[in-house]
């Protein structure tokens, strides 16, 4: 089950944070991925993720809301959607969502 939560900002928008199993083979099948989304409301944040191909994304409760550092990261990113492979390790940098969802390039044969 995915864990997650949200924080409502003073301007009325929200930041949603969801921890999922990795949808990409390059990250690893057992590696959890923390995804952050900035949107006008929770429903639009989840719709943004579903439109990107993460179909089975639901937010039940507010058990794991985004930290202040996560909120700052997603607010300063132009797309407003970020991910990090190991949420418990703060040393890893945040990546744009297209880096997670792009198809793996086939190996070139020489």
């Amino acid at each position: 089950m995915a864990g997650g939560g949200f924080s409502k900002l003073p301007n009325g928008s929200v930041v949603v944070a969801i921890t999922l199993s990795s949808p990409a083979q390059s990250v690893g099948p057992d590696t959890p991925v923390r995804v952050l989304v900035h949107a006008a409301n929770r429903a639009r944040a989840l719709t943004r993720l579903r439109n990107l191909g993460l179909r089975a994304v639901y937010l039940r409760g507010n058990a794991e809301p985004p930290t202040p550092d996560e909120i700052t990261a997603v607010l300063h990113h132009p797309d407003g959607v970020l991910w990090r492979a190991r949420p418990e390790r703060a040393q890893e940098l945040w990546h744009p969502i297209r880096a997670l969802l792009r198809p793996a390039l086939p190996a070139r044969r020489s």
Side-chain angles (χ1 to χ4, degrees):
M1 163 130 336
F6 67 95
S7 289
K8 192 162 186 168
L9 302 177
N11 66 355
S13 64
V14 297
V15 173
V16 173
I18 298 178
T19 304
L20 308 166
S21 59
S22 175
Q25 296 298 328
S26 61
V27 177
D30 297 332
T31 304
V33 174
R34 181 82 163 175
V35 179
L36 301 175
V37 183
H38 179 236
N41 56 45
R42 286 181 288 170
R44 285 192 179 175
L46 296 175
T47 300
R48 287 186 75 185
L49 289 176
R50 290 181 187 128
N51 288 342
L52 290 169
L54 302 172
R55 297 286 181 217
V57 177
Y58 297 97
L59 184 62
R60 294 182 177 96
N62 200 14
E64 298 175 19
T67 63
D69 290 336
E70 291 175 334
I71 293 171
T72 301
V74 76
L75 289 178
H76 285 88
H77 193 271
D79 293 339
V81 183
L82 299 172
W83 69 278
R84 182 164 59 185
R86 290 179 177 80
E88 66 276 357
R89 287 191 1 202
Q91 296 88 356
E92 183 179 356
L93 299 176
W94 291 98
H95 309 282
I97 195 70
R98 64 184 168 272
L100 178 67
L101 301 177
R102 82 172 70 133
L105 297 174
R108 292 182 61 178
R109 296 184 184 205
S110 309

